[in-house]
Amino acid sequence: MGSAKEAKEIDLGSGSVGRLLFKLAVPAITAQIINVLYNMVDRMYIGHLPGVGASALTGVGVTFPVIMAISAFAALVSMGGAPRASIMLGKGRKEEAENILGNCTTALIAVALVLTVFFLTFGRSILLMFGASGNTIEYGWAYMQIYSLGTIFVQLALGLNAFINAQGYAKTGMLTVLIGAVCNIILDPILMFGLHMGVRGAALATIISQGISATWVVLFLLSGKSYLKIRPCYMKPRADILMPAIALGAAPFVMQFTESILNICFNTSLLKYGGDVAVGAMTIMGSVMQFSLLPLQGLTQGAQPIISFNYGARKIDRVSRTFWILLATCMCYSTVLWAVSMFAPGVFISIFTKDAALTAFSTWSIHVYMAAALLFGAQLACQQTFIALGDSKTSLFLALLRKVILLIPLIYVLPGLFENKVFAVFLSEPIADTIAVCTTVTLFIISFRKLRRTMG
């Protein structure tokens, strides 16, 4: 990458690591926030459909696990392929990096076609299984039919954008998300209300916007502005190139794919033991967690290309400095998040509700649910560094550990051990977090010491 330094926004192999991380993390954090606002605006418009807003919003809400699954498949291919491409660039093996990009492009297209056929065939039954009722299924199915047709755009926009960020083109990666969000915000009212398309208009606005983002990404990766380019000669699938990328992408895939399963486990248990108010409190805390973790996710995304490139270049000191700055920054942020949750929870809760009963319930429950929030920084910093270093086995184990091995079983086991069942369900979160963080940090220390000896 050094020979094409003039073509890059950022040279990952030299300069201050702190400044590099700042330049890459700020656009990544901004893109995360824009993406969430993007989804919120969509739901706001749907909720204001005359006469049917509540039913339409509920129906479309049931499609959320499907949308998360589609995004998870993009991560399966790209979030493993992009770090591996960065590592190859650090080793000076541009041809292999472009081979990874080409193979991942083919895989994203193939996955999109399979998902489109699958959801168009079984989508209605899946929505009914996820909780759609006779009153809401038509809205959910109307949205999902159109959204499924745009799966190819979602896969290319999300999947290939990771390869833009992996090269250090952070601002360009942010623009990919911004362009789609702005188009969606403009098209939503035109199609939904102006052309009276309702829920179908919302879905059409979304896939048109994703199509524009996908076009932007593909054109950039075909142009002379990108150091890595999509080349037809590298798009023929090769197992030796594609399988290591998918193995590394398994961790972020599991993290995203299991999120919807986790939500179902929490909500069904809380509904059983605490009723609607407990589910309402969980909705608030889930939203707080989602929004609060965006800066941490942006920070780790900003650090990934720096760590991967310098690991490939065998610059272990730069890898180490990047990690320690990332860890310190993440820990400072998560400590502030924990302090606000413990001592001023109303700052978060008042954003979502003014209801006195729900506020009171959420205030005590957030103290339990977020009790280990100050540890999130260490968890994300170490876990994402494993991915950046190309360690697929450890990263997959850690992704499974917190949610699948620990949290989901605890949600069902702990209520049998405590008189206050709702307290027990919320307590499963900090217990799982604490065990997961201790395990992650221990494995990271062992692994990094071994890495320093190997590369030292």
Side-chain angles (χ1 to χ4, degrees), residues 65-77:
V66 175
I67 292 170
M68 287 190 68
I70 291 172
S71 299
F73 276 100
L76 176 64
V77 177

Side-chain angles (χ1 to χ4, degrees), residues 66 70 112-126 141-151:
V66 175
I70 291 172
L113 294 175
V114 171
L115 290 176
T116 299
V117 173
F118 178 80
F119 286 121
L120 285 176
T121 305
F122 303 106
R124 188 182 181 91
S125 300
I126 290 171
W141 181 228
Y143 187 92
M144 189 170 161
Q145 279 179 299
I146 294 176
Y147 188 90
S148 297
L149 293 173
T151 300

Side-chain angles (χ1 to χ4, degrees), residues 85-97:
S86 291
I87 291 170
M88 292 305 165
L89 287 175
K91 293 180 178 180
R93 288 148 63 173
K94 180 185 176 184
E95 184 177 337
E96 289 188 40

Side-chain angles (χ1 to χ4, degrees), residues 138-213:
E138 296 308 323
Y139 299 108
W141 181 228
Y143 187 92
M144 189 170 161
Q145 279 179 299
I146 294 176
Y147 188 90
S148 297
L149 293 173
T151 300
I152 182 69
F153 302 137
V154 177
Q155 294 295 305
L156 292 178
L158 292 179
L160 293 183
N161 201 41
F163 287 89
I164 292 177
N165 290 324
Q167 298 177 70
Y169 299 112
K171 292 178 183 176
T172 305
M174 180 186 70
L175 282 174
T176 302
V177 180
L178 182 60
I179 289 168
V182 170
C183 289
N184 191 62
I185 290 168
I186 293 170
L187 289 172
D188 259 339
I190 294 173
L191 296 176
M192 292 174 67
F193 303 108
L195 298 180
H196 307 289
M197 293 181 66
V199 166
R200 287 183 175 83
L204 185 58
T206 299
I207 66 167
I208 291 173
S209 301
Q210 291 283 12
I212 292 169
S213 291

Side-chain angles (χ1 to χ4, degrees), residues 192-240:
M192 292 174 67
F193 303 108
L195 298 180
H196 307 289
M197 293 181 66
V199 166
R200 287 183 175 83
L204 185 58
T206 299
I207 66 167
I208 291 173
S209 301
Q210 291 283 12
I212 292 169
S213 291
T215 302
W216 162 271
V217 171
V218 172
L219 289 177
F220 180 82
L221 289 172
L222 289 171
S223 74
K225 294 180 181 179
S226 177
Y227 184 68
L228 291 182
K229 296 178 181 61
I230 297 174
R231 302 183 191 274
C233 60
Y234 295 138
M235 291 182 68
K236 183 179 179 181
R238 282 177 48 186
D240 61 319

Side-chain angles (χ1 to χ4, degrees), residues 321-405:
R321 283 202 301 275
T322 304
F323 169 74
W324 285 114
I325 293 172
L326 174 66
L327 178 64
T329 308
C330 287
M331 286 301 296
C332 287
Y333 177 84
S334 60
T335 301
V336 172
L337 171 63
W338 173 83
V340 175
S341 301
M342 295 301 106
F343 303 112
V347 172
F348 293 137
I349 297 168
S350 61
I351 297 172
F352 298 95
T353 185
K354 301 296 182 185
D355 181 83
L358 183 55
T359 297
F361 196 97
S362 300
T363 299
W364 75 260
S365 56
I366 200 170
H367 285 145
V368 180
Y369 185 79
M370 301 289 283
L374 76 168
L375 302 175
F376 288 157
Q379 174 73 19
L380 283 175
C382 294
Q383 189 167 327
Q384 294 301 315
T385 299
F386 274 121
I387 295 174
L389 294 172
D391 189 340
S392 58
K393 292 180 180 178
T394 307
S395 59
L396 178 59
F397 167 71
L398 294 175
L400 289 169
L401 176 67
R402 179 180 166 269
K403 292 181 182 178
V404 178
I405 299 173

